[in-house]
Amino acid sequence: MRREIPLIITISVGFLAILSFFSPPFEPLGEDFTLFFDIIAVFAFFLGGGNLMRVHIDKLIKRKKDWGFSIVTLVGFLVMLVAGLGKIGAESITSDITREGLFSTLYYNVHLPLGSTMYALLAFFVASASYRAFRAKNREATVLLIAAFIILLGSTPIGQMLTNWMPEGMSILEIPNLAVWIMSSPNLAGQRAIMIGIGLGVVSMSLRLILGIERTYLGKDSG
Amino acid sequence: MRSIITFVAVLSLCVGATALAQTDSVLVDSAGVTPVQPPPAPVTNLQAVDTDNDHGHSITLTWDLSVDDGKGQNNVLSYQIFRWFPSLMDQVDSLRGERSNARSTMRAFRSDIPRAEHALNELREDPGKLESIRFEVSIPADDSAFVLTTDYAITALQDTIAVMTARLPEIKDGLEPLQIRFEEALAQLPEAHNQYPNDGDWEYLGAVVAGNTSYENSGSKDFTAPDFFPDYTDLYYRVEAVSADTTLRSEAILVGPVHSSGQWFHTGKIPVLIFVLVFFVLTVLFVQVAKKGKELYVRPLAGIEAVDDAIGRATEMGRPILYVLGLGSADMVATIASFTILGRVAKKVAEYQTPIIVPCYDPIVMAVAQEVVKSSYLDAGRPDDYDEDAVHFVTNLQFAYVAAVNGTMLRELPATNIYMGKFFAESLLLAETGALAGSIQIAGTDEIAQIPFFIVACDYTLIGEELYAASAYLGREPILLGSLKAQDWAKAAIVIIAIVGMLTTAFGWPGFAEAFHVSG
């Protein structure tokens, strides 16, 4: 029964979801299922917080490898939790903690700058990844390199300056126009092909789940 | 001078001629003094139908333009639409309002009584708290010199509590009969509509500007809503063409009775239904073929074939495998596909006795992933090797999650990193850090914008649909491979239909492509 009950739930909800798509009277069911999911998600926050505490306290007590980081994690978690729930530094209990108090101070002065820093690292990672990807090791990589070079140049004033001498009849060969063509024709065609594949994959995957063919998520290999 | 006189004379003649020409198209009143514009001509061919596929939520009115709209007298500014309502509707609205007011008053009293009592107790205990109590004391509105004192506040609060406490049961008792009257009135609505044109009146619904030939009167199926739209009830509409002077309006054209009712099937989605049925039949067919033992060929995927090697490499190196489920929630297909792959990977990992680390972004995903990994260890016959901390929650903040996972990569130096699921801006941050740490990396996502990042930074990438197929490939079970075969056939059919659609449209026969149009 441990596997049959989840399977029955999956199959019934799957068929109801299909019904809600095709039958107008059942349309609100889709919204209801989203609501059920949101309700479950609220309880899951306790689950996540509890797991975080358990894993790091255990690491700390047993002095496992890199236990020092667990202190930072636990202190950060508890300080934000207490600052938020206790509304520390806020004028009154009805105050909006996203605007005043310790919680908002920590959020805007510690969390946001740290997040922005992580995001900013992307610029350097893009540079290193591009360097690796654009090495003309084989024919495909060479095509990639040329296409990327045209798009990069086409997005800058230099691209325009380099080829604006071309006569009207050959304007398609101007670098900015070439860049637009690459993005709107071969690139878009490739993306749409992938999207059609994804659409079919989603239908196929959903059918496998609804029909009970795919049961790996229940922890059993075969049907 | 002569030329000026000639110019003025010619001008006068022109003005006179123009005035004469205009009098051709205007009427002159009985006194023959003020010109009167005739009203615009009415609309023609007015029709009202229940709107398709909206489950009876609206009626669509269509008409042919007035002959004076954009031509003729060219004096139509808009079309005004009216609907006939029985007088019972006023009673229904009034009862609905009373019912709603009673409910909100009850809610307010239930919340205010304890707050007022709390404020009263605070004042009794400490009169100095007059300024800080969290309940507004009513003060005389007409006395500008009034000064609020503690004694006054205590008396006012006591009175307010007494009034609210006394009124609450009265309202509660009155609510049930009110509800009964409201429902009775609602039940009489269809019959009242049948009395048209007696005992009712036309109400203005709205207007559309000249040139438009349709109007949708929509409403709610919730009988408690003010715009309740009843099913199977005779509805009558009236359309008038109106000129800039709103007193000048055409003869009213009536239409009705028309009913709205729910539809059990959305006819605009027939092509989708046909496709789903065909795909369903293909899947069942190929699964049956596979069950009979026929060998099914499916295109090999390098990324999937590398999974076994990557796990073997981790075992040889004595290092863990890092499995990242992405930032998707548990209801996303990409995350569900990732669970199935995690199940296969975890089983292999359990067989090889290699550690696995699964840092999670979403608590629900974590709970499911824990079950999947635990079950895989059980299936592999090594339940004791399962480490409860292997699948753990990190954070649900995107870049904090990246920082934590990158830290794990650089400290634990996993031999293999597997990224499967929904990824956004963090994809390159994770994959580049993994590449720097020297791990073999296999990624798969259905986020088109992130696929290029994974391709450049990972050793193997599953593109789009390959992510969904990965579990079937890993298992190599005939039944699952059968569904993949059906997918390939459906893809081939789509390619053929797309090419035929392209050609038929190019050769001037768009009917083929339009047959696949999906609405709603």
Side-chain angles (χ1 to χ4, degrees):
Chain A
M1 284 306 277
R2 191 176 160 271
R3 278 167 186 157
E4 276 75 9
I5 290 174
L7 203 62
I8 291 165
I9 294 172
T10 309
I11 292 169
S12 355
V13 172
F15 274 110
L16 281 174
I18 292 175
L19 197 64
S20 75
F21 180 79
F22 288 110
S23 182
F26 291 93
E27 257 172 28
L29 271 180
E31 290 162 23
D32 291 345
F33 287 141
T34 312
L35 201 65
F36 295 164
F37 186 82
D38 290 344
I39 293 167
I40 295 168
V42 171
F43 291 102
F45 279 108
F46 294 102
L47 200 69
N51 180 270
L52 186 92
M53 292 284 283
R54 191 185 58 74
V55 168
H56 288 279
I57 288 173
D58 183 59
K59 210 168 175 180
L60 200 62
I61 290 170
K62 292 178 181 165
R63 293 286 195 274
K64 287 184 182 171
K65 190 185 164 199
D66 299 323
W67 59 272
F69 293 116
S70 294
I71 298 177
V72 180
T73 308
L74 286 171
V75 169
F77 177 72
L78 292 173
V79 166
M80 286 302 271
L81 190 73
V82 173
L85 290 180
K87 299 203 171 184
I88 293 171
E91 266 189 16
S92 71
I93 196 135
T94 53
S95 299
D96 181 1
I97 55 159
T98 60
R99 293 174 189 275
E100 57 178 277
L102 182 63
F103 184 88
S104 121
T105 308
L106 289 171
Y107 182 81
Y108 287 108
N109 298 300
V110 180
H111 170 71
L112 276 190
L114 286 174
S116 305
T117 308
M118 282 306 295
Y119 187 54
L121 285 175
L122 201 56
F124 301 99
F125 283 132
V126 166
S128 65
S130 305
Y131 172 73
R132 218 156 350 101
F134 296 158
R135 274 180 300 181
K137 290 178 287 189
N138 50 38
R139 202 169 45 202
E140 287 87 353
T142 313
V143 171
L144 185 68
L145 172 67
I146 294 167
F149 192 67
I150 291 170
I151 287 166
L152 282 173
L153 271 183
S155 312
T156 58
I158 301 169
Q160 178 73 43
M161 282 160 57
L162 283 174
T163 49
N164 61 0
W165 51 267
M166 284 193 168
E168 189 68 29
M170 295 174 74
S171 62
I172 183 68
L173 294 176
E174 284 179 23
I175 291 179
N177 292 342
L178 271 181
V180 170
W181 179 80
I182 289 172
M183 291 303 287
S184 60
S185 295
N187 176 60
L188 195 63
Q191 282 200 9
R192 286 190 178 159
I194 294 172
M195 278 166 72
I196 290 173
I198 289 173
L200 275 172
V202 168
V203 176
S204 174
M205 180 84 195
S206 307
L207 274 181
R208 285 206 298 268
L209 290 168
I210 292 170
L211 298 176
I213 296 170
E214 176 67 81
R215 300 179 185 194
T216 322
Y217 68 101
L218 295 173
K220 188 162 175 67
D221 266 0
S222 59
Chain B
M1 190 64 185
R2 278 186 63 166
S3 61
I4 294 172
I5 292 167
T6 312
F7 174 72
V8 171
V10 170
L11 192 67
S12 307
L13 277 171
C14 289
V15 170
T18 313
L20 275 172
Q22 281 180 348
T23 52
D24 287 347
S25 62
V26 296
L27 297 178
V28 178
D29 69 357
S30 54
V33 180
T34 316
V36 178
Q37 186 90 18
V43 299
T44 50
N45 195 23
L46 176 63
Q47 290 183 350
V49 288
D50 184 11
T51 312
D52 279 344
N53 303 317
D54 76 337
H55 194 39
H57 278 269
S58 64
I59 295 287
T60 301
L61 302 176
T62 55
W63 58 84
D64 290 343
L65 292 178
S66 155
V67 292
D68 292 329
D69 185 349
K71 49 194 178 186
Q73 298 182 99
N74 195 15
N75 62 348
V76 176
L77 186 73
S78 64
Y79 296 101
Q80 290 189 348
I81 293 93
F82 298 81
R83 187 174 131 195
W84 186 85
F85 285 95
S87 53
L88 180 71
M89 206 67 193
D90 295 335
Q91 192 190 337
V92 170
D93 287 341
S94 157
L95 287 168
R96 182 186 288 120
E98 278 181 51
R99 179 176 164 276
S100 169
N101 285 343
R103 287 188 170 197
S104 51
T105 310
M106 261 173 63
R107 268 199 301 272
F109 280 7
R110 279 177 180 152
S111 144
D112 286 351
I113 291 172
R115 283 178 55 231
E117 283 173 344
H118 182 71
L120 185 63
N121 289 337
E122 274 190 321
L123 278 184
R124 279 174 177 157
E125 283 167 16
D126 182 2
K129 281 190 171 176
L130 183 60
E131 293 298 318
S132 65
I133 57 165
R134 294 198 187 99
F135 193 86
E136 199 177 334
V137 177
S138 55
I139 56 172
D142 52 352
D143 185 359
S144 57
F146 178 79
V147 177
L148 181 65
T149 62
T150 305
D151 288 341
Y152 180 88
I154 288 175
T155 313
L157 281 171
Q158 282 171 333
D159 291 348
T160 308
I161 293 167
V163 169
M164 288 193 292
T165 313
R167 287 271 295 127
L168 193 59
E170 282 175 27
I171 299 170
K172 196 179 170 186
D173 293 343
L175 195 61
E176 200 180 325
L178 194 63
Q179 177 73 17
I180 292 168
R181 279 168 57 209
F182 177 57
E183 285 176 11
E184 281 173 356
L186 274 176
Q188 289 166 13
L189 262 185
E191 184 52 39
H193 275 89
N194 288 342
Q195 301 304 314
Y196 171 84
N198 304 317
D199 199 17
D201 207 354
W202 293 97
E203 277 187 29
Y204 173 73
L205 290 179
V208 292
V209 292
N212 284 293
T213 55
S214 67
Y215 178 85
E216 193 176 279
N217 175 215
S218 58
S220 165
K221 285 292 155 196
D222 176 6
F223 69 88
T224 61
D227 62 343
F228 172 56
F229 211 79
D231 274 345
Y232 303 107
T233 302
D234 289 353
L235 304 176
Y236 295 86
Y237 292 89
R238 196 176 90 186
V239 177
E240 293 174 12
V242 183
S243 69
D245 174 2
T246 51
T247 56
L248 275 181
R249 48 183 65 231
S250 71
E251 173 199 346
I253 302 297
L254 308 182
V255 65
V258 58
H259 295 172
S260 75
S261 60
Q263 294 92 20
W264 284 101
F265 180 68
H266 194 303
T267 50
K269 292 177 178 171
I270 288 175
V272 182
L273 181 70
I274 292 171
F275 172 77
V276 170
L277 289 176
V278 168
F279 195 65
F280 182 85
V281 171
L282 277 175
T283 305
V284 172
L285 196 75
F286 279 107
V287 166
Q288 292 304 321
V289 169
K291 270 184 178 172
K292 284 177 186 164
K294 191 180 175 189
E295 191 74 22
L296 293 174
Y297 173 78
V298 282
R299 180 171 56 90
L301 290 175
I304 295 302
E305 283 170 2
V307 168
D308 282 350
D309 296 341
I311 297 170
R313 179 177 183 262
T315 311
E316 282 170 15
M317 293 172 80
R319 287 197 201 158
I321 285 172
L322 182 75
Y323 192 100
V324 182
L325 286 147
L327 264 58
S329 52
D331 60 335
M332 290 177 172
V333 183
T335 312
I336 296 171
S338 188
F339 288 140
T340 63
I341 301 165
L342 175 64
R344 309 282 185 191
V345 170
K347 194 179 172 194
K348 289 266 183 221
V349 159
E351 284 165 2
Y352 293 169
Q353 293 182 291
T354 305
I356 186 169
I357 306 168
V358 188
C360 296
Y361 171 84
D362 183 298
I364 299 181
V365 170
M366 177 202 73
V368 179
Q370 279 177 337
E371 277 305 306
V372 168
V373 174
K374 200 173 177 180
S375 302
S376 298
Y377 271 75
L378 199 67
D379 287 343
R382 297 185 183 278
D384 295 339
D385 288 347
Y386 172 66
D387 176 9
E388 284 213 356
D389 295 347
V391 184
H392 59 272
F393 176 67
V394 179
T395 171
N396 59 357
L397 297 165
Q398 185 181 24
F399 292 108
Y401 178 77
V402 175
V405 176
N406 283 358
T408 305
M409 277 183 206
L410 296 172
R411 287 193 302 274
E412 304 289 338
L413 296 172
T416 305
N417 296 334
I418 301 176
Y419 311 101
M420 299 281 173
K422 209 87 178 157
F423 289 87
F424 303 96
E426 72 289 348
S427 61
L428 190 64
L429 291 170
L430 293 170
E432 267 298 287
T433 308
L436 288 173
S439 313
I440 289 277
Q441 303 201 97
I442 303 167
T445 186
D446 59 359
E447 272 297 311
I448 293 178
Q450 306 306 323
I451 290 171
F453 294 126
F454 277 138
I455 288 175
V456 296
C458 296
D459 300 281
Y460 302 96
T461 306
L462 303 178
I463 299 171
E465 56 165 327
E466 292 173 355
L467 169 69
Y468 309 126
S471 171
Y473 273 101
L474 278 169
R476 305 299 300 176
E477 289 150 23
I479 296 177
L480 291 175
L481 291 179
S483 71
L484 288 188
K485 200 75 187 160
Q487 198 175 323
D488 284 348
W489 275 81
K491 216 186 307 175
I494 285 178
V495 170
I496 292 166
I497 290 169
I499 291 170
V500 173
M502 221 158 53
L503 290 174
T504 50
T505 308
F507 286 106
W509 188 55
F512 183 81
E514 278 165 14
F516 292 90
H517 177 74
V518 176
S519 65

